[in-house]
Structures are given as C-alpha cells and as structure tokens.
Amino acid sequence: MALLGSRARETPRAADRPTAAAATAPAPKPSPLPGLALAALGVAAASAVHLLVPAVPMLTAAVVLGIAAAHLPGPRTLVRGAARPGLTLAGKRLMRLGIVLLGLRLALGDVLELGWATVAMVACVVVATFFGTVWLGRRLKLPGDQPVLVATGYSICGASAIGAVSEVRGSEEEDVATSVALVTLCGTLAILVLPLLHGPLGLDASQFGRWVGAGVHDVGQVVATAQTGGPQALNEAVLVKLLRVLMLAPLVAAMVLAVRERHGARRTPEGTRPPQGRRPPLVPLFVLGFLGMVALRTTAWLPGAALEGAATAQEILLAAALFGLGSAVHLPSLTRTGVRVAGLGLCAWIVVAGASYGGVLLTT
C-alpha cells in the first residue's frame, strides 16, 4: 500500500498533464500593428523629406528611410523583431492597393492621342529593356529572381511593377528589396543626369518629355525629371509613362503563364507529376482592379477632387510599401553581389535610355 501510495504521489494529476490539444495548439500569430505603425512613421518622415527637399520624390525617400531603419542600432531591433510581420504586410498588401489606384492616372483616350507610332515605340522599348536586362542578369549569375525583377522595374514602372511581378512569382523578400533599392537608386540618378543631356542631345520640349517618359522608371521620378523641361515636356512624359504602366497587365499575365508552365514541367524521379497547390490566376485580382480603375478613369465619371484624393492615397500606400521593402534590405549581404548588381543596373539604364532615345527620334 505504501508503495502504491508512493507511486500515486509520483503520478501527476490529470489537471497537471498537458492535453494533446494544448501541446499541439498553434502559437499566436504575431500582430502586424507594430510594423504598420512604423511604416506610417516612415511615410510621415518621407513626406517631410519631400517637403523640405522637393527634388527628392516621396517614394525615393521612403525606400532610403526603410533601409536606414533596418541598419540603425535603435530601430534595427524593432525592424527585425516585432515590426517584421507588419512591414512585410505593408510591402505586399499595401503595394497591391497602390497598384490598383495607379490605374486612375490613365485614361485610354490619352493613350490614343499619342498615336500608334508612339504606342509601338514604347512597346519595343519595354520588350528590349526587359529581355536585355534578364539576359545580362543571368550572364552575371545574379541569384534568385533578381534579374527578372530588375528587368521589370526598369522596363515598366519601377517598384510598383517589381511588387506586382514578385507577387505572382513568389519571389524572396530579399530579392525584391534588392531590386527595389537598385531601381530606385538609378531612377533617382536619372533626375540629376537626364536634364543635363536635354540641350546636348538637341531635343525639343516634346521630345525630351517623351524620352523621359519612356526611359525613367517610377512615375514620381518621371515627373521630377520632366518638369525641368517645362509644361509641355511634363505632359508628354506623364502620358508616355502611363502607357508603360498599362503594359503591366500583359507582363503579369505572361509571368503567371511562365510560373504555371514551370510548375507543370516538374516531375518526380518516378516520372509522375508532383502534387500542385492552387495555381495563380491568369490575371491576378489586383491587376483586374488596376484595369478596372483605368476603365473607370476613361468614363470621366469621377470628379477632379476624387482623382486627387486617389492620387494622394496611392502615393501614401506605395510609400508605406516601399518603406517596408526597404527595411528588408540587408546591406552586408549585398556585398556578395554588389558589384554585379550595380553593373546590371548601369547596363540596363544605358539600354532603356538608348532604346527610348532612338525610339523618340524615329517617331517625332
């Protein structure tokens, strides 16, 4: 009896034993609120930088501030810890919403006014820049999706296009952040360099605007560059740039087809197809939203105040997304591919600037 009593005392009570449900219960999901709050602070800081130095676009400032936050001793702990889920959410979900609102900048009537020769020129520039950059990136042996993402950013519309393509390809966050940082840096340099070439290249205001619209990456960078040539240059640049933005939809659809084909071609050693998850839709929902906004803008139903409000919301959303992407950049890890990435950026810059310059001369 004493022995039984001793064993009974050694046996833990049922209430003390962890149940199977408790042992297998998933850990609570980290809250995105700290990261979203940090992204909001980043947007406010980027806006302040733009107000103090108007030559620095808000989106460019957001990327730089995100990179700084990831490396400064104080914020670095927060960025890599509690704020990471929210910053990742901002870099993906808010980017999608910003891309949807980007469609309100473009009406199909504006595109038709440019003429089919300009439409064909822009299409050729996009195709040459994209495939030329991808080819060079593969030759430089850049890792992951970096060649495709850099090519997308240069050929279409900078960070917004990178975010769209990375969604359907499932790209690594580090590849996305590196590509965004490179495209943003080169686009910022264009603000300084291209106006200096306006006179020496013998371009009038209209030609200069079209060159900027066809060759500079981000919409904000296009505006900052083209405004140095006057109102006519700015108007032409924005129209040509938004025509490039319209080509985001077919590019994303082509990427989805490539991803489907890649997954369908994979086979196990036994020769059977592996089980596949849900395939990405041919046209993702946010791209449909973008096209829907283009159609809505074409109807001319929205008043000017609504369009201005949407433009402000789009810039805020993209700034928050770019801050989140910038915070994912790890500069020490870039030293392994830094020279090759910089070389790709420089060569792609030459390709898009040269192709767009030639195209403008042929069509004007």
Side-chain angles (χ1 to χ4, degrees):
M1 292 294 293
L3 181 58
L4 290 175
S6 174
R7 288 180 177 175
R9 286 192 299 270
E10 291 175 0
T11 303
R13 294 176 301 170
D16 296 333
R17 291 195 303 268
T19 62
T24 59
K29 189 176 181 179
S31 172
L33 293 180
L36 293 177
L38 184 59
L41 290 176
V43 171
S47 178
V49 170
H50 176 62
L51 291 175
L52 293 173
V53 188
V56 178
M58 180 177 171
L59 301 185
T60 300
V63 174
V64 174
L65 290 172
I67 295 173
H71 294 84
L72 292 176
R76 179 175 57 196
T77 303
L78 179 62
V79 167
R80 297 180 180 178
R84 189 70 257 157
L87 292 173
T88 300
L89 178 67
K92 293 183 177 181
R93 305 297 182 183
L94 298 188
M95 177 68 78
R96 292 180 182 179
L97 293 176
I99 292 169
V100 170
L101 292 180
L102 188 62
L104 287 176
R105 290 177 176 260
L106 180 63
L108 293 180
D110 297 332
V111 175
L112 296 179
E113 289 180 3
L114 292 173
W116 290 109
T118 300
V119 173
M121 179 271 288
V122 172
C124 291
V125 169
V126 168
V127 171
T129 303
F130 180 82
F131 286 104
T133 303
V134 170
W135 178 85
L136 182 59
R138 298 302 186 201
R139 300 288 79 73
L140 292 173
K141 300 186 184 304
L142 289 179
D145 278 349
Q146 287 184 20
V148 173
L149 297 179
V150 171
T152 300
Y154 271 83
S155 60
I156 304 292
C157 55
S160 302
I162 291 174
V165 169
S166 66
E167 285 289 327
V168 299
R169 291 183 64 88
S171 304
E172 295 290 336
E173 189 176 18
E174 185 176 349
D175 289 343
V176 178
T178 301
S179 303
V180 166
L182 176 65
V183 171
T184 301
L185 173 62
C186 291
T188 303
L189 292 176
I191 299 174
L192 303 175
V193 174
L194 266 60
L196 299 177
L197 300 176
H198 183 179
L201 292 178
L203 300 174
D204 60 27
S206 177
Q207 290 174 324
F208 177 70
R210 293 190 176 207
W211 182 43
V212 171
V216 179
H217 320 317
D218 184 79
V219 175
Q221 295 163 346
V222 167
V223 172
T225 307
Q227 67 186 358
T228 63
Q232 183 180 2
L234 179 59
N235 183 62
E236 294 284 341
V238 171
L239 287 178
V240 172
K241 178 59 192 175
L242 293 179
L243 176 58
R244 286 170 65 195
V245 172
L246 186 61
M247 296 185 181
L248 177 63
L251 176 64
V252 171
M255 287 293 171
V256 171
L257 289 175
V259 170
R260 287 182 171 185
E261 183 179 357
R262 182 179 62 191
H263 289 173
R266 291 177 181 171
R267 296 180 181 274
T268 62
E270 290 77 14
T272 58
R273 294 187 183 275
Q276 300 179 23
R278 185 171 61 90
R279 296 193 303 176
L282 181 58
V283 183
L285 184 61
F286 68 91
V287 175
L288 289 176
F290 168 80
L291 295 175
M293 293 299 102
V294 172
L296 181 60
R297 174 63 186 272
T298 303
T299 64
W301 290 343
L302 294 179
L307 293 176
E308 291 178 4
T312 301
Q314 175 233 316
E315 191 168 24
I316 291 173
L317 289 169
L318 291 181
L322 292 178
F323 182 88
L325 290 175
S327 69
V329 174
H330 187 233
L331 293 179
S333 66
L334 293 182
T335 57
R336 295 192 297 270
T337 58
V339 175
R340 286 177 288 160
V341 168
L344 176 62
L346 178 60
C347 292
W349 195 15
I350 294 173
V351 168
V352 69
S356 57
Y357 177 70
V360 168
L361 293 182
L362 289 173
T363 56
T364 56

